[in-house]
Amino acid sequence: MTVSQFAYKVRDTNGRFREGKVKAESENAVAEKLLAMGYVPLQVTQTGTGLQREITFGRRKVKQKDLAIAARQLATMIDAGLTLLRALTILGEQVDNPELRRALARVRTDVEAGQSLSESFGTEPEIFPPFMLSMTRAGETGGFLDVALRQVAETFEADVKLRGKVKSAMTYPTVVFCMAIVMCIGMLLFIVPVFEKMFTDLGGTLPLPTKILVALSASMKYVLPSAAVTLTAMGAWWRKYGRDDRVRDVVDPLKLKLPVFGQLFRKIALARFSRNLSTLLSAGVPILGSLDIVADTTGSVVIARALHDVRQSVAQGESFAEPLSRHEVFPSMTVQMIASGEEAGAVDQMLRRISQFYDEEVEATTEALTSLIEPLMIAFLGVVVGSMILALYMPMFSIFTLIE
């Protein structure tokens, strides 16, 4: 018999209203399962067919910040002595993100049915990343689930903080650049045509800069719609294919070769690599499994490829630092520190220090970029707008001669 997905609404033993989703062969099977779990079924509806089909367009994305807050809250409640089911129930009622709330309801149902927390996370791979799943499994195996979840929260929070620094550094130049574009378009659409009519009525020959400006103004009625359509299409294409491996194989190496920004992207990826690997190793996750997970969390295909090669070398019996030295993307300082950590038997601690170093490097680089970009963007804005104004007023120098 075909297994379908059903949405249900129930009352628990405390009289609270609950809802969730479960896979079963029929509505009766769902009702029997809910009764066996101590719930009173109120409504069972099949999803995925007809008008009940689940609409995924427009779902609010679960951000890393949401997962960090959820992991810390769950760790705190478990540490306080609450049962896992009770902690998941409270957490599901407190989270603001509706998609995360739905996933937690599903996780709670699976845990109540006898699955482990890590297995339940595995049923929602689009919500809970492999890093979180592996850390949870390690915590369950070692009996330190609260500590593992707290480490997950700290790792996610550090990554969010790192991204925030870069975004804040890029906000000002981006705003200034957009303002320059808007001002130029506004002048070409509304101001230049007024001056063009006045110059035409007066007669005479326009200076070359003014002719270029007038030609740009006349072409805006064709260029602006075309540019809007092109940018919209490119944005839609990037949202759909930007994460595709074939696209990242081309884009990621180019990002690391960019002047100034290439080094920043490299430091961000190295900070993520060292921090995530340190957290996994300190939780007791085997190094081969840790390298597989970390390769997918750095955000760079270049480093991911290098880590896959390193994993193969480690699996064949080599040390960790030796294969790293064969890849240029890893600086010699990083390799040497990891080698020292191997000799001392404290690779996880050394990786944590490396992540702290690169976090500080990223912060210093973004501050330096901000200090450099701000005056450059102001100069850019002045040159662009000033040149347009000068081109408009150049004919004014001979306007009295034309009148005479």
Side-chain angles (χ1 to χ4, degrees):
M1 185 177 292
T2 304
V3 176
S4 304
Q5 189 176 49
F6 294 85
Y8 64 82
K9 297 180 181 180
V10 298
R11 292 281 183 185
D12 61 15
T13 54
N14 296 323
R16 287 187 175 183
F17 171 82
R18 300 190 185 283
E19 58 183 335
K21 293 179 181 178
V22 67
K23 290 182 179 180
E25 297 176 350
S26 64
E27 294 183 6
N28 291 334
V30 175
E32 291 176 0
K33 184 176 182 179
L34 295 173
L35 288 170
M37 294 166 59
Y39 291 142
V40 178
L42 301 177
Q43 181 179 352
V44 177
T45 307
Q46 184 176 355
T47 61
T49 58
L51 295 177
Q52 297 296 331
R53 181 172 298 165
E54 185 177 6
I55 300 175
T56 57
F57 177 78
R59 276 185 176 177
R60 180 179 171 185
K61 183 179 178 182
V62 178
K63 298 181 180 179
Q64 203 169 34
K65 183 178 180 181
D66 299 325
L67 291 176
I69 295 173
R72 184 168 293 280
Q73 290 177 327
L74 189 57
T76 301
M77 287 186 285
I78 293 174
D79 185 45
L82 273 68
T83 63
L84 182 57
L85 283 175
R86 180 60 178 162
L88 287 171
T89 300
I90 296 173
L91 183 62
E93 295 172 350
Q94 290 180 348
V95 295
D96 296 327
N97 190 296
E99 187 65 11
L100 182 56
R101 191 184 307 122
R102 179 202 62 78
L104 287 172
R106 171 74 177 273
V107 168
R108 185 191 183 283
T109 301
D110 292 342
V111 169
E112 194 167 23
Q115 292 187 8
S116 66
L117 183 60
S118 58
E119 290 175 339
S120 303
F121 283 163
T123 61
E124 296 282 351
E126 70 281 1
I127 304 295
F128 305 105
F131 173 81
M132 189 172 184
L133 190 150
S134 297
M135 285 294 296
T136 304
R137 183 182 294 117
E140 290 174 332
T141 304
F144 52 92
L145 181 58
D146 56 333
V147 176
L149 288 171
R150 192 170 288 110
Q151 289 177 332
V152 170
E154 292 173 354
T155 302
F156 286 168
E157 288 167 352
D159 200 23
V160 170
K161 183 179 180 182
L162 191 66
R163 292 180 181 181
K165 291 176 182 177
V166 178
K167 288 181 180 179
S168 63
M170 296 296 105
T171 298
Y172 179 81
T174 302
V175 171
V176 173
F177 181 76
C178 292
M179 287 178 58
I181 296 298
V182 170
M183 291 176 65
C184 291
I185 292 176
M187 291 182 67
L188 290 172
L189 287 177
F190 304 108
I191 298 177
V192 174
V194 176
F195 279 82
E196 180 189 4
K197 185 177 183 303
M198 181 178 65
F199 297 150
T200 304
D201 293 340
L202 292 173
T205 303
L206 296 176
L208 179 60
T210 309
K211 289 181 178 180
I212 296 174
L213 198 62
V214 170
L216 287 174
S217 176
S219 65
M220 284 304 292
K221 61 175 133 181
Y222 307 106
V223 173
L224 193 59
S226 301
V229 172
T230 302
L231 290 175
T232 302
M234 289 177 62
W237 181 89
W238 181 257
R239 282 195 299 271
K240 186 174 182 180
Y241 299 105
R243 297 282 182 180
D244 189 85
D245 291 339
R246 290 174 295 181
V247 176
R248 294 187 63 190
D249 286 343
V250 176
V251 174
D252 284 5
L254 293 177
K255 286 170 62 177
L256 296 181
K257 293 178 182 179
L258 290 174
V260 183
F261 289 98
Q263 286 298 317
L264 178 61
F265 293 140
R266 183 189 185 191
K267 290 174 182 177
I268 292 173
L270 289 172
R272 289 175 180 167
F273 149 72
S274 53
R275 179 170 51 250
N276 292 344
L277 186 57
S278 171
T279 304
L280 288 167
L281 292 177
S282 63
V285 180
I287 186 168
L288 295 181
S290 298
L291 288 173
D292 281 334
I293 296 169
V294 170
D296 298 328
T297 62
T298 60
S300 172
V301 168
V302 178
I303 293 183
R305 288 174 179 170
L307 289 177
H308 285 308
D309 291 340
V310 170
R311 184 196 183 282
Q312 293 178 359
S313 300
V314 172
Q316 294 173 359
E318 291 190 49
S319 66
F320 180 32
E322 179 63 26
L324 282 176
S325 63
R326 297 197 287 266
H327 297 276
E328 296 181 356
V329 71
F330 297 104
S332 58
M333 181 209 72
T334 301
V335 177
Q336 292 170 6
M337 291 182 69
I338 292 176
S340 300
E342 280 188 305
E343 293 177 1
V347 177
D348 57 334
Q349 298 178 15
M350 194 61 71
L351 285 167
R352 189 175 298 110
R353 293 180 184 176
I354 294 172
S355 69
Q356 292 172 353
F357 169 78
Y358 281 116
D359 284 341
E360 294 172 358
E361 282 287 297
V362 170
E363 185 173 2
T365 303
T366 52
E367 290 178 356
L369 281 175
T370 303
S371 301
L372 175 65
I373 290 176
E374 285 183 7
L376 290 177
M377 291 305 297
I378 293 174
F380 168 76
L381 182 61
V383 169
V384 171
V385 178
S387 299
M388 294 182 69
I389 294 175
L390 182 62
L392 283 176
Y393 280 92
M394 284 180 69
M396 293 294 184
F397 301 142
S398 57
I399 191 171
F400 293 107
T401 303
L402 295 175
I403 295 175
E404 293 175 358

